[in-house]
Structure formats: C-alpha cells, structure tokens
C-alpha cells in the first residue's frame, strides 16, 4: 500500500516559532510525514530535541546541507517560523 500522507517540512531558527510549530507537529505526528529543518546551532534545534522530535530533524551541519535536505524532501507544504535573522525567508 502506498503512503498517502502529505509531506510537510518545518523551517525554523528562533525559539518562538519552534515552540509553536513543535507543538503542532507533536499533535499531528501520525497524520503527516514531518521533516524539521533548522541550523545545527539554532534555538529551534534545542526545542525540537527537548520535545523528542530528533528523529524528524534533517541531518545537517551547514546551511548548504539544509538546502540540499529541503530539495530532496519535496514537501507538499512548507511551514516557516517568523525568525528575525532571515533564515526562514531563504526558503
């Protein structure tokens, strides 16, 4: 049987957006295929790990790897935080 779940990528850097989106991911975990995209040194990564969502994190160490990860995932939807550093805007 083919997996009919939608693929959703979440892009976040700052803590505020990550807190909200991580709660949404936890609530809808079984209904969609999630991928969390955030730089390795971001406050968002700390929050995703704290909320036991590490298995959904895109494995990356540099911004170039993040874009490569996103290109490969081909999401149906992309949810972005409203970060002030512009990271999310690049997506």
């Amino acid at each position: 049987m083919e997996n009919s779940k939608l693929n959703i990528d979440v892009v976040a850097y700052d803590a505020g957006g990550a807190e909200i989106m991580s709660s949404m991911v936890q609530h809808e975990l079984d209904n969609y295929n999630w991928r969390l995209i955030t730089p390795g040194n971001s406050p968002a990564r700390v929050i995703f790990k704290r909320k036991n969502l590490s298995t959904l994190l895109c494995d990356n160490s540099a911004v170039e790897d993040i874009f490569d990860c996103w290109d490969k995932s081909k999401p149906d939807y992309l949810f972005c935080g409203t970060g002030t550093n512009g990271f999310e805007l690049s997506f």
Side-chain angles (χ1 to χ4, degrees):
M1 177 183 262
E2 188 176 313
N3 184 351
S4 61
K5 293 181 184 179
L6 292 173
N7 297 316
I8 301 176
D9 283 2
V10 173
V11 175
Y13 181 88
D14 290 340
E19 285 286 358
I20 293 168
M21 289 191 286
S22 62
S23 294
M24 177 184 61
V25 171
Q26 286 177 315
H27 188 265
E28 297 291 336
L29 190 61
D30 296 331
N31 297 322
Y32 302 96
N33 296 317
W34 296 96
R35 176 169 293 185
L36 307 175
I37 301 174
T38 187
N41 63 345
S42 71
R45 183 169 287 265
V46 172
I47 289 165
F48 293 146
K49 286 183 175 184
R50 178 174 44 87
K51 292 193 173 187
N52 297 316
L53 298 172
S54 294
T55 59
L56 304 177
L57 284 165
C58 178
D59 185 24
N60 60 323
S61 59
V63 173
E64 296 79 23
D65 298 333
I66 293 170
F67 286 108
D68 186 50
C69 181
W70 184 61
D71 287 341
K72 290 178 182 175
S73 71
K74 302 195 183 332
D76 296 298
Y77 292 97
L78 177 65
F79 297 157
C80 294
T82 58
T84 57
N85 73 350
F87 170 76
E88 291 89 342
L89 293 177
S90 57
F91 287 86

